[in-house]
């Protein structure tokens, strides 16, 4: 018993940094990463007799404000994992990358027996359950940082242990000095957005086939506010700002264009309506929507993270695939394109790919890579 108590295990730590600071519209540099790392290492050493073989923090490190974490990353041996959204419709790209890396760690390094997930996101519940099925010890931790928000109760209860990491509240920002006489202050987000909408309304030349032309719009904004750009409001490009904050479509040369309109909630269309009312030229038909959805799902397997998961684990249960597909193809579900069951849609999406959908006694439907002979 004494020997077992002294035996040291191996642990891997995965930090969903985006979750801890509450998204890029918040103060992204406000999370005290150094005390979080120290508490995690102390927790592993004292409570579990484990050493951290890897500590990874997931975020879009290309954001200028993320540079404030550089010293803490170097001081505590934290690996910064860069996460980009593949398209503007993809949400929670860091969560998906974390899931892939956690499962790869469990597959490739069976000697890692403890996994630490630092996040309060309930989307990690299936991942925690899978790790425990693989006989791994799972610790979930979050912080008392105000921006981190509430921790999903199911996530906390699904883990072997749940801990709250105590961090100091961020100090209030110093008051900005009053602007000098005759010098205009920068616009707020609301003012920047209002100016874009007003400029587009005043100048029809800022639209191309109903979509916003970023070139004249950007020139107008630079003339009005030379020292302020869309990057000051957390957007990577002017087009991304216009789409996210103004709800308008942006013209991109070389991409197919269609008359822009504010996005409308998707609605199910009955078969009788489909038969009696042909699709308008301004909107894609149901067949086109279905084909586009199948292409998006197929790409997740051919060149995206779902194919990597299948290769790492050999067999991916359809239930887990459904969770990842819903996160990855945001705004549309398989039922929106006419499928009554996820498995039926997945069967069509995997046609003419190296992947196949089969059944097994344990998981029901599973996705696996075909053998060379079967694929041929």
């Amino acid at each position: 018993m004494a020997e077992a108590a002294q035996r040291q295990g191996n642990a891997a730590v995965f930090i969903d940094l985006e979750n801890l600071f509450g998204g890029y519209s918040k103060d992204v540099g406000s999370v005290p990463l150094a005390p979080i790392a120290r508490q995690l290492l102390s927790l592993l050493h004292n409570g579990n007799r484990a050493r951290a073989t890897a500590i990874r923090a997931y975020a879009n490190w290309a954001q200028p404000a993320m540079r404030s974490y550089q010293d803490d990353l170097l001081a505590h041996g934290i690996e910064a994992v860069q996460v980009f959204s593949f398209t503007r419709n993809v949400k929670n790209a860091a969560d998906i990358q974390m899931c892939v890396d956690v499962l790869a760690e469990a597959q490739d390094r069976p000697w890692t027996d403890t996994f630490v997930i630092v996040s309060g996101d309930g989307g990690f519940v299936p991942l925690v359950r899978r790790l425990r099925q693989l006989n791994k010890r799972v610790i979930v931790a979050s912080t008392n940082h105000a921006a981190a928000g509430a921790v999903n109760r199911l996530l906390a209860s699904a883990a072997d242990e749940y801990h709250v990491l105590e961090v100091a509240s961020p100090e209030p920002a110093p008051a900005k000095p009053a602007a000098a006489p005759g010098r205009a202050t920068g616009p707020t987000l609301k003012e920047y957005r209002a100016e874009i909408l007003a400029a587009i309304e005043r100048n029809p030349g800022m639209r191309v086939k109903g979509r916003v032309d970023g070139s004249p719009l950007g020139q107008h904004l630079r003339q009005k506010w030379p020292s302020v750009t869309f990057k000051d409001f957390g957007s990577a490009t002017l087009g991304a700002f216009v789409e996210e904050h103004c709800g308008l479509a942006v013209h991109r040369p070389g991409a197919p264009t269609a008359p822009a309109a504010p996005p409308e909630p998707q609605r199910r269309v009955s078969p009788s309506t489909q038969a009696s009312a042909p699709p308008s030229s301004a909107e894609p038909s149901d067949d086109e929507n279905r084909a586009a959805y199948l292409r998006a799902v197929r790409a997740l397997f051919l060149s995206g993270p779902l194919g990597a998961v299948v290769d790492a684990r050999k067999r991916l249960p359809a239930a887990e695939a459904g969770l990842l597909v819903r996160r990855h193809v945001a705004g549309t579900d398989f039922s929106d394109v006419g499928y009554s069951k996820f498995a039926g849609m997945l069967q069509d999406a995997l046609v003419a790919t190296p992947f196949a959908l089969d059944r097994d006694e344990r998981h029901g439907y599973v996705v696996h890579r075909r053998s060379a002979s079967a694929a041929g």
Side-chain angles (χ1 to χ4, degrees):
M1 294 291 293
E3 181 182 355
Q6 294 299 319
R7 187 172 58 225
Q8 189 176 54
N10 295 309
V13 180
F14 300 83
I15 303 174
D16 181 6
L17 194 57
E18 292 181 351
N19 177 264
L20 298 187
F21 57 67
Y24 294 101
S25 62
K26 306 288 184 66
D27 184 2
V28 301
S30 65
V31 177
L33 196 55
I36 289 176
R38 287 194 294 267
Q39 289 181 67
L40 288 171
L41 294 175
S42 176
L43 173 68
L44 290 171
H45 178 74
N46 297 330
N48 298 276
R49 300 297 303 171
R51 64 188 183 96
T53 57
I55 306 178
R56 299 169 184 163
Y58 293 75
N60 182 1
W61 297 97
Q63 291 274 351
M66 300 298 291
R67 295 173 186 168
S68 62
Y69 291 108
Q70 182 174 354
D71 291 341
D72 289 345
L73 294 173
L74 295 174
H76 296 279
I78 302 173
E79 177 186 355
V81 181
Q82 173 63 38
V83 178
F84 289 108
S85 292
F86 299 98
T87 71
R88 70 182 182 90
N89 291 324
V90 175
K91 297 180 180 179
N92 301 324
D95 298 2
I96 296 171
Q97 186 63 53
M98 268 185 62
C99 287
V100 172
D101 288 354
V102 168
L103 294 172
E105 176 80 19
Q107 173 74 21
D108 299 340
R109 299 177 178 85
W111 52 84
T112 301
D113 46 26
T114 300
F115 287 76
V116 182
I117 308 296
V118 185
S119 178
D121 191 340
F124 289 115
V125 171
L127 176 65
V128 170
R129 289 174 173 168
R130 179 59 181 165
L131 287 172
R132 295 191 67 187
Q133 291 171 359
L134 296 174
N135 198 30
K136 306 296 184 181
R137 185 171 188 82
V138 183
I139 299 173
V140 168
S142 189
T143 73
N144 62 343
H145 191 284
V151 176
N152 183 277
R153 289 182 294 177
L154 187 57
L155 176 67
S157 64
D160 293 290
E161 298 178 23
Y162 169 68
H163 297 273
V164 176
L165 307 177
E166 300 289 337
V167 297
S169 300
E171 297 181 0
K176 294 183 179 180
R183 178 179 176 273
T185 59
T188 64
L189 172 62
K190 183 177 180 180
E191 292 169 340
Y192 198 78
R193 174 182 178 275
E195 179 59 30
I196 289 176
L197 295 174
I200 295 171
E201 183 68 24
R202 291 193 305 265
N203 188 351
M206 289 187 181
R207 287 184 180 269
V208 176
K209 297 182 179 179
R211 292 174 177 255
V212 177
D213 188 348
S215 179
L217 176 60
Q219 183 178 2
H220 167 77
L221 293 172
R222 286 191 295 272
Q223 291 175 348
K224 186 172 181 64
W225 291 302
S227 61
V228 177
T229 74
F230 46 84
K231 294 182 179 179
D232 297 311
F233 303 103
S235 297
T237 64
L238 177 58
F241 182 95
V242 171
E243 290 172 331
E244 179 179 358
H245 296 284
C246 303
L248 300 175
V250 176
H251 170 67
R252 291 181 172 84
T257 59
E264 298 181 357
Q266 295 196 6
R267 57 188 179 87
R268 299 292 302 276
V269 181
S270 66
S272 60
T273 305
Q274 291 176 319
S276 60
S280 68
S281 60
E283 298 180 356
S285 68
D286 288 342
D287 289 341
E288 291 171 338
N289 285 333
R290 174 182 287 200
Y293 183 80
L294 292 176
R295 284 196 300 271
V297 174
R298 187 176 298 116
L300 295 179
F301 286 92
L302 292 177
S303 58
L306 270 69
V309 174
V310 173
D311 289 337
R313 293 169 49 187
K314 307 306 180 188
R315 301 175 78 81
L316 174 63
E320 294 184 38
L323 176 65
L324 292 177
V325 167
R326 283 191 292 273
R327 287 185 177 179
H328 223 55
V329 187
T332 305
D333 197 28
F334 65 89
S335 60
D336 297 324
V337 293
Y339 286 96
S340 60
K341 294 183 179 180
F342 177 77
M345 179 281 298
L346 198 55
Q347 184 76 48
D348 289 350
L350 297 179
V351 170
T353 74
F355 300 93
L357 182 69
D358 286 324
R359 293 184 66 93
D360 68 16
E361 295 180 357
R362 181 178 179 185
H363 298 106
Y365 284 107
V366 295
V367 180
H368 64 92
R369 184 178 283 273
R370 305 172 196 263
S371 64
S373 58

